[in-house]
Amino acid sequence: MKGALIGCGFFAQNQLHAWRDIEGAEIVALCDRDEQRLVQSATDFNIARTYFDAEAMFKDAGFDFVDIATTAPSHRTLVEMAARAGVHIICQKPFAENLDDARAMVSAAAEAQRTMMVHENFRWQSPIRAALSIVRSGRIGTPFFGRFSFRSGYDVFTGQPYLAEGKRFIIEDLGIHILDIARAFLGNAERITATTKRINPKIRGEDVATMLLSHIAGATSVVDCSYATRRMPETFPQTLLEIDGTEGTLRLDAGYRLTVQSDGEDVQDVSPPVLPWAEKPWHNIQESVLTIQQHFTDCIAAGREPETSGSDNLQTLALVEAAYLSAAEGRTVTLDEL
Ligand code: NAD
């Protein structure tokens, strides 16, 4: 398959590196409104076709899928453009700025009969996959409690200055990943209660969020996120897990140490590999980019719905919206309300 990528910014560099290693796909065209970024990426990745305007790129055609790596405000326009052009779509998180837009985007791809996947990559990190396969195998029985925790003091604002400027920050940018991981382990949720706080005075949005979820299948989980936690060792960008099941427990601790206790104890080092183009501490995220892009490519080839499809992601996005509503109104929010 041939692909085009829109948005040659900070994170797209990982996506471009990963596409070079994907079996069955290559990027043949690039688009960015910023000339310097466009030219730099085209040179670095040896891509001949370049565009400032996405509409012009779709008009010229010659590709089967588009990878949308811009920030959320442009996603709906670009997804609808791609659906009209009849190409498959992979779009970065946050998928949309609100649920109405997200629903319209899912419908547009469905009407065009094209695969639509959200680049929701945290559940594709290999340490998370290792834990997921143990829980899904039934080794700890039926999970009844989960804690999904991401606490860090890492400076994310230098690489992504827009994160300091938005009215919303941690739930929309990072919490969305951790809520998605909670769904991957415990299924969809029906209720959420959240509190938020801003500790860093230099940013506009919240940098701490604590959320309590009731899952439809019966489990309860705590999803806690912070970019105001100064601790050693710094665990960025690790998500720590604690799952209690009817037959045992699983923990993913700092340093990618996975412990399963059920009929004895089993401790494994599930550190992700450092890919040749990756660098620590981002290697965990970088490897998941390769995995998710391969999943997208394989699903299109097999005519399968991706695990993190657009319609699946509506549930994750609904949790984000519900968490903000809960924090603003100081009450538990049921997802049916949205
Ligand atoms: P960025 O601002 O560095 O890059 C975005 C690029 O898109 C810019 O170069 C901009 O000029 C271009 N752009 C915007 N609208 C455009 C349009 N309509 N047509 C053409 N070009 C356009 O942003 P970033 O930090 O790379 O983030 C991009 C997305 O990736 C965000 O949605 C962010 O949340 C997401 N992200 C995901 C992860 C992850 O692990 N999945 C990590 C970091 C960022």
Side-chain angles (χ1 to χ4, degrees), residues 184-201:
F185 279 92
L186 303 176
N188 287 335
E190 54 190 353
R191 290 194 305 279
I192 185 166
T193 313
T195 63
T196 57
K197 205 166 181 58
R198 179 169 62 93
I199 301 297
N200 181 346

Side-chain angles (χ1 to χ4, degrees), residues 171 175-176 178-180 182-183 188-196 209-216 220-225 315-338:
I171 302 177
I176 193 168
I178 317 305
L179 289 165
D180 189 68
R183 287 188 53 238
N188 287 335
E190 54 190 353
R191 290 194 305 279
I192 185 166
T193 313
T195 63
T196 57
T210 310
M211 298 169 268
L212 178 71
L213 280 72
S214 302
H215 294 263
I216 295 168
T220 299
S221 69
V222 177
V223 174
D224 60 287
C225 307
Q315 294 288 331
T316 296
L317 215 52
L319 280 170
V320 169
E321 290 300 329
Y324 281 114
L325 184 60
S326 168
E329 298 190 352
R331 67 179 177 93
T332 298
V333 172
T334 20
L335 269 76
D336 287 350
E337 293 177 43
L338 302 172

Side-chain angles (χ1 to χ4, degrees), residues 20-328:
R20 289 211 287 210
D21 296 337
I22 301 289
E23 280 173 41
E26 62 164 329
I27 298 295
V28 298
L30 287 181
C31 172
D32 200 302
R33 294 194 292 224
D34 180 308
E35 183 175 7
Q36 201 195 334
R37 287 179 160 192
L38 181 64
V39 171
Q40 189 66 56
S41 296
T43 310
D44 290 349
F45 295 94
N46 195 22
I47 296 167
R49 287 176 59 190
T50 55
Y51 296 85
F52 294 122
D53 175 27
E55 196 90 61
M57 186 175 77
F58 283 113
K59 199 158 164 264
D60 280 358
F63 48 90
D64 313 288
F65 73 91
V66 65
D67 185 357
I68 300 172
T70 58
T71 45
S74 56
H75 287 175
R76 179 169 178 177
T77 307
L78 294 173
V79 161
E80 289 180 341
M81 225 182 256
R84 281 197 298 278
V87 299
H88 301 292
I89 302 160
I90 173 168
C91 179
Q92 259 298 347
K93 53 56 71 174
F95 185 37
E97 291 187 292
N98 56 64
L99 268 176
D100 285 345
D101 280 358
R103 289 180 183 128
M105 291 151 74
V106 169
S107 299
E111 276 160 32
Q113 298 187 327
R114 288 297 173 267
T115 297
M116 143 94 87
M117 188 177 93
V118 179
H119 191 124
E120 179 42 80
N121 52 324
F122 270 39
R123 69 159 79 182
W124 292 98
Q125 293 167 4
S126 56
I128 303 289
R129 274 342 254 188
L132 256 180
S133 76
I134 290 167
V135 172
R136 287 176 178 172
S137 77
R139 207 163 129 203
I140 62 161
T142 306
F144 60 85
F145 172 83
R147 179 173 181 214
F148 306 93
S149 181
F150 186 106
R151 312 193 75 78
S152 166
Y154 188 85
D155 166 28
V156 283
F157 306 108
T158 301
Q160 298 167 274
Y162 60 90
L163 293 178
E165 293 154 15
K167 201 169 147 231
R168 293 175 165 188
F169 169 42
I170 202 167
I171 302 177
E172 184 178 81
D173 180 66
L174 182 275
I176 193 168
H177 291 302
I178 317 305
L179 289 165
D180 189 68
I181 289 177
R183 287 188 53 238
F185 279 92
L186 303 176
N188 287 335
E190 54 190 353
R191 290 194 305 279
I192 185 166
T193 313
T195 63
T196 57
K197 205 166 181 58
R198 179 169 62 93
I199 301 297
N200 181 346
K202 297 194 191 121
I203 66 169
R204 205 169 148 223
E206 82 290 352
D207 51 3
V208 178
T210 310
M211 298 169 268
L212 178 71
L213 280 72
S214 302
H215 294 263
I216 295 168
T220 299
S221 69
V222 177
V223 174
D224 60 287
C225 307
S226 165
Y227 267 126
T229 302
R230 292 158 213 276
R231 65 176 178 187
M232 289 303 281
E234 168 57 75
T235 51
F236 178 88
Q238 298 175 46
T239 305
L240 309 184
L241 310 176
E242 204 171 331
I243 321 267
D244 291 353
T246 50
E247 311 295 326
T249 62
L250 173 147
R251 286 199 323 269
L252 180 61
D253 292 314
Y256 303 109
R257 210 170 88 110
L258 182 65
T259 305
V260 182
Q261 292 175 337
S262 87
D263 291 334
E265 182 176 85
D266 172 14
V267 183
Q268 290 176 56
D269 177 358
V270 290
S271 298
V274 187
L275 297 176
W277 48 269
E279 58 181 335
K280 286 183 173 181
W282 284 88
H283 63 297
N284 181 28
I285 293 180
Q286 288 165 316
E287 187 218 3
S288 71
V289 169
L290 180 70
T291 310
I292 196 171
Q293 291 179 185
Q294 188 66 62
H295 177 67
F296 174 71
T297 308
D298 294 346
C299 284
I300 293 171
R304 261 188 295 131
E305 168 105 341
E307 183 177 313
T308 40
S309 67
S311 66
D312 175 84
N313 200 257
L314 292 177
Q315 294 288 331
T316 296
L317 215 52
L319 280 170
V320 169
E321 290 300 329
Y324 281 114
L325 184 60
S326 168

